[in-house]
Amino acid sequence: MQPNDVKALLEARIENVDFHIQGEGCNFQVVAVGDVFAELSRVKAQQLVYSALNDEIRSGALHAISIRTYTPAQFEAAAGNAQG
């Protein structure tokens, strides 16, 4: 799989979230940004993204997935901290 494949799967399965994907083969890093995460604990937010890829993980098409979730405000703050 390619990053664009993973992004397309996630966008089709979770609405109103922006996904930033890095990686190759079956190992990917997923950054998900959306207001939906404001209402969820960190664990529940990661489970939401993970469950959207469950079929691909079970089949072996995806193996190692790292997931970070943010609200838009959290993402902006994290980006600001990374630049400073």
Side-chain angles (χ1 to χ4, degrees):
M1 292 192 103
Q2 296 297 316
N4 286 343
D5 299 325
V6 176
K7 183 174 181 166
L9 288 170
L10 288 168
E11 288 177 341
R13 296 172 182 170
I14 304 174
E15 295 182 1
N16 301 318
V17 175
D18 292 322
F19 293 99
H20 308 270
I21 315 294
Q22 292 183 328
E24 61 185 355
C26 58
N27 301 310
F28 292 92
Q29 299 80 45
V30 176
V31 174
V33 182
D35 288 323
V36 66
F37 301 121
E39 302 170 9
L40 302 174
S41 70
R42 185 172 298 189
V43 170
K44 292 289 185 190
Q46 289 185 351
Q47 287 174 339
L48 175 68
V49 176
Y50 188 83
S51 68
L53 298 172
N54 211 21
D55 290 343
E56 289 74 21
I57 293 167
R58 263 194 254 130
S59 75
L62 295 175
H63 176 65
I65 306 290
S66 168
I67 300 170
R68 289 185 171 162
T69 60
Y70 300 94
T71 64
Q74 290 169 334
F75 185 70
E76 190 174 309
N81 289 339
Q83 292 173 0

